[in-house]
């Protein structure tokens, strides 16, 4: 007879097992962290006051008014940003460089607790209001858009030469989130140069190409063009109405607009396939794209929430390619319609556009895409919806040199890689078979390789030999195989 | 229909079950474990404790796999093996009969008879029971003492440190893990442990573990008479094969369950694989006892083929291993003795930041490359393995170190500096 270990058979290691410790010794916080939190709190108070219309004049009539708004701007957003940056600095400054994931599955806000739901609802509500109910006064609510645009008017004037509107407010919020959380990401991964450079890249493109440059264009009386977005992620850059608006000023062809449209065409037809062939879709998704930029910075605390189940993978394949078909069809219909003088659809062409904009751009990429960060992880839109990601993914899967290399048989199946894959790829399923990871959805963020405690994974651009499981053939055979087989991660 | 029963759902048992299913679609396969409902990755337990992952994230397979592959999982402890009647007595359920049996019971933590080693609050770190005990103990603990400077010791230290429990490491040797790590590597790790604010006490041996008034551990006393207040004691002086179940049966054992190169025991229909198996090496001084993840996996593959009737011999391949000491990654390939051996030369390069190092070992006379260690640098398994298998000249290895680098893109590369240093040492 042997001595039996003391674990009860009914012990459910998943449900009852190893969650948040009931009582944790106090965390050692540095004084600087408290100071930062205080700054954030003061900034928040001023922001609420400003949103309630207190402290800012209704119009900017005198330079004194402008100075007052700048002061209020500094006291609200200024303190929030400074406090946010300092918080990350003090949080990480005395730690040794290395993986900082302690407690991620314990914190309420990171494990779908009440705080996470609260934040999810808040962001979701923000997007709903932004897109569809920005006339808050008519609904009997405080008109935070009017007050927040007032708060940002001086900045908007300085940058764009015009007053702020709700889209400027949105762009501003987006940019400061990417910047503040970008600094957090850099400090958190300061042992990993790939993460640092990549984060600098998304911050640069957000700040420079999605905030400052469009503003300067506006100031120069040009279209507010985003050089980091092209069809099909920003489909209206290739739809009849918007292209016309960009190309012409009145009846005169605008050469700046011509350059913009030409760049957009070049970007999707030449840049995208060439860069994706050499570097994989990461050149865009985790280095340039604004949606990716927000996911990689503000979204980082929730990357572990993406579902790795085989079922989620099935949904992903169907939905993302449906959206791609939808945008292609919409584009074709709109151009046909424009060419034959509205004879196919007549005025309903307008509605096709409206439906796409409502369902995909607003509801999917905005409300669900960001609002669900704290519940479904940071890449819901990128994984299930983005048609640009779909195209990049197809190229990556069948015509690219990029893959994640598995280092021999060294995987010990711990699952850190899969857990922290924001795209929900079960990286471990491949690594534990000693197989390289060649997946359409991989955005190349490199976090799997960073968190691997045994150095098993490496993002590489290498020769294309041995990429396909249906090894008998090449990319076409693999494509046909994938088309006719449901995805299955365990072999 | 043949019924195969596997005791243990660790990596050896589970790998065997799946490999056997591929070969024998019609056989009945049952895996018994009292520890957990499903196979999980043992090395991942530390990440569950530290809050990097949930417990379910450390399961390598989705739960529906077992039904799909028609592998029956039984949650129970086997309490006795009746080799004559080919049946197993279970603690909870009815006895189970088998045609072929695989023993894959893994290891258990060593305890060297220290006074007080059975007090509540004193534990090893191996299985879910240990993890649960640690969860409970760490709720109130302020200080923990870890005895033994090995791989599990440093993992346990990292775990407790993540809960803001102050850690003292008692290491008998002059330097951390110095029976395995050469002085250069070991010194880097010593320094790294201290940088994390842990209290590393070298050349310090445990004398006694003392209880408090509540009967739980309260202090430890070292051989030099120092007493340390502590609420948790981690005993991590290695593991040994878990063969309690086999000891009083007709199955031959030594340190582990004795098996031949096909992983068969002395009983015809009983096999053993993984940590608990000790492979008899005829004519050699010591048998082969391998207790790491990948050998469990390889032995699982081999034993499945043997059970399916193939004429197969376990090939341990070229030794490698990897670990992580807090933030420092470590890899080893081939043979790198802790101290220079006659007839061999060791070359050591260390980065000025004290976080990276590479050691090469070669045969002094033939210049054949024999092994390497890396600290803070990732190397490519297949490249290192081919150098060792092809017995490359040390000069070739030094000249081609860059091809073995597996570090993340944009990481600083040191191969040139290394090569200069290595050549100077050889001159």
């Amino acid at each position: 007879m042997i001595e039996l270990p003391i674990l009860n058979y009914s012990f459910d290691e998943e449900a009852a097992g190893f969650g948040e410790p009931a009582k944790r010794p106090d965390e050692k916080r540095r004084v600087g962290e408290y100071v930062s939190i205080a700054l954030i709190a003061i900034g928040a108070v001023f922001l609420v006051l400003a949103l309630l219309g207190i402290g800012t004049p209704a119009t900017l009539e005198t330079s004194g008014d402008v100075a007052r708004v700048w002061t209020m701007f500094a006291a609200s957003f200024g303190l929030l940003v400074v406090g946010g940056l300092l918080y990350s600095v003090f949080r990480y400054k005395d730690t040794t460089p290395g993986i900082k994931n302690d407690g991620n599955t314990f914190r309420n806000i990171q494990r779908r607790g009440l705080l996470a739901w609260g934040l999810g609802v808040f962001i979701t509500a923000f997007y709903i209001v932004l897109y569809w109910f920005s006339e808050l006064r008519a609904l009997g609510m405080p008109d935070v858009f009017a007050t927040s645009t007032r708060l940002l008017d001086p900045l908007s004037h300085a940058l764009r030469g015009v007053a702020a509107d709700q889209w400027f407010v949105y762009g501003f919020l987006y940019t400061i989130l990417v910047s503040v959380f970008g600094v957090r990401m850099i400090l958190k991964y300061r042992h990993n140069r790939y993460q640092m450079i990549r984060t600098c890249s998304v911050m640069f493109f957000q700040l420079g190409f999605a905030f400052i440059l469009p503003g300067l264009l506006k100031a120069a009386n040009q279209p507010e063009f985003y050089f980091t977005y092209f069809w099909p992620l920003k489909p209206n850059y290739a739809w009849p109405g918007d292209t016309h608006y960009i190309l012409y000023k009145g009846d005169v062809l605008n050469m700046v607009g011509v350059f913009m449209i030409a760049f957009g065409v070049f970007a999707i037809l030449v840049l995208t396939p060439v860069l994706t062939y050499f570097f994989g879709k990461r050149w865009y998704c985790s280095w340039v794209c604004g949606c990716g930029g927000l996911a990689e910075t503000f979204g980082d605390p929730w990357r572990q929430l993406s579902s790795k189940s085989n079922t989620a993978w099935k949904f992903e394949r169907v939905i993302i390619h449906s959206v791609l078909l939808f945008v292609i069809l919409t584009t074709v219909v709109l151009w046909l319609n424009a060419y034959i003088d509205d004879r196919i659809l007549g005025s309903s062409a307008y509605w096709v556009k409206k439906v796409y904009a409502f369902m995909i751009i607003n509801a999917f990429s905005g409300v669900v895409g960001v609002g669900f960060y704290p519940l479904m992880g940071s890449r819901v839109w990128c994984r299930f919806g983005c048609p640009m990601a779909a195209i990049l993914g197809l190229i990556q899967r069948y015509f690219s040199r990029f893959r994640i290399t598995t280092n021999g048989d060294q995987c010990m199946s711990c699952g850190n890689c899969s857990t922290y894959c924001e795209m929900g790829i079960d990286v471990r399923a491949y690594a534990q078979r000693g197989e390289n990871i060649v997946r359409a959805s991989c955005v190349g963020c490199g976090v799997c390789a960073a968190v691997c405690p045994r150095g098993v994974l490496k993002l590489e651009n290498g020769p294309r030999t041995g990429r396909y499981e249906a090894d008998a053939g090449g990319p076409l055979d693999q494509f046909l195989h994938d088309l006719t087989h449901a995805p299955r991660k365990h072999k | 229909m043949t019924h195969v029963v596997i005791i243990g759902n660790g990596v050896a048992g589970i790998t065997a079950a799946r490999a056997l299913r591929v070969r024998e679609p019609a056989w009945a396969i049952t895996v018994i474990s009292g520890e957990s409902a499903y196979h999980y990755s043992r090395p991942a337990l530390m990440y569950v404790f530290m809050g990097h992952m949930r417990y379910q994230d450390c399961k390598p397979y989705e739960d529906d796999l077992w039904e799909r592959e028609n592998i029956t999982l039984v949650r129970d402890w086997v309490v006795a093996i009746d080799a004559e009647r080919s049946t197993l007595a279970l603690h909870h359920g009815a006895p189970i009969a088998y045609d072929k049996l695989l023993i894959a019971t893994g290891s258990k933590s060593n305890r060297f008879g220290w006074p007080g080693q059975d007090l509540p609050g004193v534990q090893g770190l191996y299985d879910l029971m240990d993890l649960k005990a640690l969860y409970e103990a760490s709720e109130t603990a302020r200080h923990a003492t870890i005895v033994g400077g090995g791989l599990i010791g440093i993992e346990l230290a990292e775990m407790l440190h993540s809960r803001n429990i102050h850690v003292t490491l008692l290491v008998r040797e002059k330097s951390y893990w110095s029976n395995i790590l050469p002085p250069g590597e070991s010194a880097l790790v010593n320094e790294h442990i201290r940088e994390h604010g842990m209290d590393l006490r070298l050349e310090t041996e445990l004398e006694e573990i003392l209880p408090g008034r509540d009967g739980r551990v309260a202090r430890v006393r070292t051989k030099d008479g120092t007493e340390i207040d502590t609420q948790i004691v981690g005993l991590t002086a290695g593991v040994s094969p878990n063969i309690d179940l086999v000891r009083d049966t007709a199955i031959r054992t030594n340190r582990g369950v004795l098996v031949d190169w096909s992983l068969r025991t002395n009983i015809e229909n009983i096999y053993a694989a993984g940590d608990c198996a000790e492979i008899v090496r005829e004519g050699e001084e010591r048998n082969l006892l391998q207790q790491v993840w990948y050998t469990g996996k390889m032995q699982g593959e081999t034993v499945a083929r043997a059970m399916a009737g193939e004429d197969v011999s376990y090939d341990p391949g070229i030794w490698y291993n990897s670990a992580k000491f807090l933030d420092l990654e470590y890899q080893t390939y081939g043979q790198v003795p802790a101290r220079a051996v006659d007839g061999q030369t060791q070359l050591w390069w260390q980065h000025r930041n004290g976080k990276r190092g590479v050691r090469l070992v070669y045969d002094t006379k033939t210049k054949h490359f024999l092994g390497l260690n890396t600290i803070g640098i990732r190397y490519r398994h297949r490249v290192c393995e081919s150098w060792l298998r092809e017995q490359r000249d040390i000069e070739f290895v030094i000249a081609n170190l860059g091809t073995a680098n597996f570090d993340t893109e944009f990481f600083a590369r040191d191969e040139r500096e290394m090569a200069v240093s290595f050549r100077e040492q050889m001159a």
Side-chain angles (χ1 to χ4, degrees), chain B residues 333-345:
Chain B
Y333 299 93
Q335 297 306 322
V336 183
R339 256 154 278 301
V341 172
D342 280 347
Q344 295 180 0
T345 306

Side-chain angles (χ1 to χ4, degrees), chain A residues 174 194 198-199 201-203 205-206 209-210 225-235 237 263-264 267-268 271-296 379 381-382 386-393 395-396 400 402 422-423 440-445 461:
Chain A
Y174 203 100
Y194 181 79
R198 194 178 61 75
T199 307
S201 173
V202 292
M203 288 165 70
F205 280 105
Q206 177 57 38
F209 282 77
F225 194 84
Y226 293 77
F227 283 92
T228 46
Y229 292 115
F230 6 98
W231 185 93
L233 177 52
K234 189 109 176 130
Y237 283 178
F263 173 79
I268 187 66
L271 215 52
T272 297
V274 171
L275 290 179
T276 311
Y277 171 79
F278 285 107
F279 307 112
K281 78 199 272 189
R282 56 181 171 156
W283 76 267
Y284 186 71
C285 296
S286 63
W287 283 74
V288 172
C289 177
C291 306
L294 192 70
E296 294 294 346
R379 288 275 192 177
W381 159 247
C382 314
C386 176
M388 180 72 189
I391 291 182
L392 290 160
I395 302 173
Q396 171 159 294
S400 171
F402 171 76
E422 52 187 354
M423 293 302 282
S441 57
C442 173
V443 291
C445 70
N461 314 305

Side-chain angles (χ1 to χ4, degrees), chain A residues 43 47 50-51 69-70 72-82 126-127 130 144-145 147-160 163-181 203 206-208 210-212 214-215 224 226 294 297-298:
Chain A
L47 183 62
L51 291 180
V69 180
W70 272 120
M72 202 62 187
F73 175 80
S76 55
F77 284 122
L79 284 184
L80 282 171
V81 169
V82 171
F126 168 80
Y127 272 96
L130 175 76
V144 292
F145 281 114
T147 48
S148 60
T149 49
R150 216 185 297 154
L151 189 59
L152 292 184
D153 267 342
L155 180 68
S156 181
H157 273 291
L159 178 66
R160 317 192 302 159
D165 56 21
Q166 73 193 70
W167 302 112
F168 183 74
V169 173
Y170 174 52
F172 174 76
L173 290 176
Y174 203 100
T175 305
I176 60 173
L177 277 181
V178 170
S179 308
V180 171
F181 280 84
M203 288 165 70
Q206 177 57 38
L207 186 65
F211 188 72
I212 295 177
E224 272 183 284
Y226 293 77
L294 192 70
T297 51
F298 177 57

Side-chain angles (χ1 to χ4, degrees), chain A residues 161-162 329 344 355 358 406 417 463 482 486 490:
Chain A
V162 293
L329 277 176
I344 311 181
V355 168
F358 172 79
T406 293
C417 53
D482 291 347
H490 297 311

Side-chain angles (χ1 to χ4, degrees), chain A residues 73-241:
Chain A
F73 175 80
S76 55
F77 284 122
L79 284 184
L80 282 171
V81 169
V82 171
L85 292 175
L86 284 179
Y87 182 78
S88 298
V89 170
F90 285 109
R91 170 112 191 258
Y92 293 120
K93 114 180 155 50
D94 297 329
T95 62
T96 51
I99 294 303
K100 303 269 170 278
N101 284 334
D102 288 352
N104 280 357
T105 60
F106 302 151
R107 280 181 214 106
N108 189 295
I109 199 161
Q110 284 183 278
R111 52 167 225 168
R112 301 196 186 106
L114 207 59
L115 288 173
W117 278 92
L119 183 64
V121 168
F122 175 77
I123 303 173
T124 306
F126 168 80
Y127 272 96
I128 291 174
V129 170
L130 175 76
Y131 285 134
W132 302 304
F133 301 101
S134 54
E135 298 295 324
L136 285 166
R137 211 187 310 252
L139 298 168
M141 285 190 265
D143 194 346
V144 292
F145 281 114
T147 48
S148 60
T149 49
R150 216 185 297 154
L151 189 59
L152 292 184
D153 267 342
L155 180 68
S156 181
H157 273 291
L159 178 66
R160 317 192 302 159
V162 293
D165 56 21
Q166 73 193 70
W167 302 112
F168 183 74
V169 173
Y170 174 52
F172 174 76
L173 290 176
Y174 203 100
T175 305
I176 60 173
L177 277 181
V178 170
S179 308
V180 171
F181 280 84
V183 169
R184 171 189 173 274
M185 184 79 182
I186 289 171
L187 294 169
K188 181 179 170 186
Y189 280 98
R190 68 186 196 277
H191 63 295
N192 188 314
R193 236 191 251 179
Y194 181 79
Q195 295 305 331
M196 293 170 76
I197 296 173
R198 194 178 61 75
T199 307
C200 287
S201 173
V202 292
M203 288 165 70
F204 167 78
F205 280 105
Q206 177 57 38
L207 186 65
F209 282 77
F211 188 72
I212 295 177
L213 187 60
L216 294 177
L217 286 167
K218 179 89 176 175
N221 199 22
Q222 295 291 346
E224 272 183 284
F225 194 84
Y226 293 77
F227 283 92
T228 46
Y229 292 115
F230 6 98
W231 185 93
L233 177 52
K234 189 109 176 130
N236 41 328
Y237 283 178
W239 281 351

Side-chain angles (χ1 to χ4, degrees), chain B residues 125-335:
Chain B
L125 180 73
Y126 182 78
D127 53 29
L128 272 177
M129 288 75 81
D130 292 334
L131 190 72
K132 192 157 181 283
L134 194 66
Y135 243 84
E136 282 151 17
S138 63
E139 305 264 309
T140 52
R142 297 171 311 282
H143 195 108
T145 304
I146 291 163
V147 183
L151 292 179
I152 300 178
I154 192 97
E155 291 184 355
L156 188 54
E158 187 179 356
M159 291 160 72
L160 292 163
H161 192 67
S162 78
R163 297 264 172 107
N164 295 314
I165 295 169
H166 192 243
V167 174
T168 298
L169 280 144
L170 304 184
V171 175
R172 197 178 51 185
E173 290 77 22
K174 268 192 192 141
S175 182
Y176 171 79
W177 211 29
S178 57
N179 54 332
I180 303 286
L181 287 183
E185 292 86 321
S186 181
L188 291 190
V189 181
N190 288 342
E191 179 57 32
H192 191 68
I193 293 172
R194 288 183 169 138
E195 236 176 280
H196 277 254
M198 295 175 190
D199 174 22
L200 174 65
R201 301 199 188 177
L202 302 171
E203 292 186 277
T204 309
E205 270 190 80
L206 176 67
E207 165 95 18
E208 189 177 6
I209 306 169
L210 301 157
R213 242 175 272 153
D214 58 356
R216 292 183 63 85
V217 55
R219 277 165 302 142
V220 295
R221 188 164 54 231
T222 62
K223 286 242 160 97
D224 58 18
T226 317
E227 289 200 0
I228 306 166
D229 282 338
T230 198
Q231 295 80 42
I232 295 176
V233 174
L235 299 181
T236 59
V239 294
S240 42
N242 177 17
I243 54 168
D244 295 351
L245 188 59
V246 190
R247 200 160 272 138
D248 303 323
T249 65
I251 305 163
R252 280 179 53 218
T253 61
N254 178 34
R255 279 192 295 162
V257 180
L258 291 173
V259 290
D260 63 13
W261 286 99
S262 302
L263 306 179
R264 291 178 300 207
T265 66
N266 59 313
I267 311 279
E268 203 218 322
N269 60 343
I270 301 182
Y271 301 73
D275 282 18
C276 68
E278 178 177 344
I279 301 174
V280 177
R281 285 200 273 211
E282 299 294 344
E284 281 195 48
E285 207 177 305
R286 298 184 64 167
N287 289 337
L288 184 64
L289 194 61
Q290 292 184 309
Q291 295 175 307
V292 294
W293 183 263
Y294 84 88
T295 55
K297 211 161 151 178
M298 291 194 328
Q299 291 189 17
E301 285 279 346
T302 305
V303 80
R305 293 170 60 187
M307 291 171 93
E310 279 181 49
D311 182 18
V312 63
S313 175
Y314 175 66
D315 174 15
I318 286 163
W319 170 254
Y320 64 89
N321 199 8
S322 53
K324 195 172 181 186
F325 312 113
L326 307 173
D327 299 315
L328 275 191
E329 288 178 21
Y330 154 77
Q331 296 182 339
T332 184
Y333 299 93
Q335 297 306 322

